[in-house]
Amino acid sequence: MRSGTGPAAGDTAYQAIILAGGRSSRLGGTPKALLESSGRTLLAVALEAASGARACAVAGPPELSAAVEAAGVPTLLVREEPPFSGPAAAVAAAWSALVLKDKEAGRPQPEWTLVLACDMPFIAQAVAALLAEARSVQIHPLPPSLLSLDETGREQPLAALYRTEALASAVGSIDRPDGLENLSMKRLLARVQWRNVAVPPNSTADIDTWEDAGRWSVKPGIAGIPDVPATEN
């Protein structure tokens, strides 16, 4: 596994955005990013899935700084303003940080931007499918972004590989008094062209409730949080 320093020759050049700043209300406020799957935090799982990215930004609270550092992948930790203002605002905050990083380095942004929610314990399989599809795309004007399509036929905008230019245009085109605050991903992506990529079963399964956590053997990773309630058969 590479350490996030950038793609090797012949790989798809991309940057990564990981969203880790939700309220986790159905988990009683327990941060999803710090739940554990096979001994790793879900944040570490997402960062590892994106470890081939040239640069990575996590949108989440400062309390995640230790987890970000422990993951061992060079990563920016940013926060949407105001906090808890939704995934579109978080994407914009992370994207802006990556743009600034590239400007400081005097380099153009990569062609693709991977966007992941932090609560998918098997997301690496979906990322592999998205990157494989990106490598197969023939070059032509305005090729589409790529969204994961799960086994139920549901599109996953937070498990997707976007054309960076298209994502930048989407972020910059929103004109409303509150900006991106509480804007849905569906509205953010209204003008983005994409095609669906079928990903392996369960690779985009997410953890919204303790029942989900029990189903996928995800456990609390912070001392003092109660054990995950057992699921009923």
Side-chain angles (χ1 to χ4, degrees), residues 85-89 170 174 176 179-189:
S85 52
I174 301 300
R176 55 199 290 264
L180 295 173
E181 184 177 353
N182 297 322
L183 187 74
S184 70
M185 285 298 293
K186 182 177 181 179
R187 287 191 61 189
L188 176 66
L189 302 175

Side-chain angles (χ1 to χ4, degrees), residues 119-138:
D119 61 348
M120 301 179 181
F122 315 114
I123 191 59
Q125 300 172 54
V127 171
L130 291 169
L131 292 174
E133 183 67 19
R135 286 191 289 270
S136 73
V137 171
Q138 294 185 355

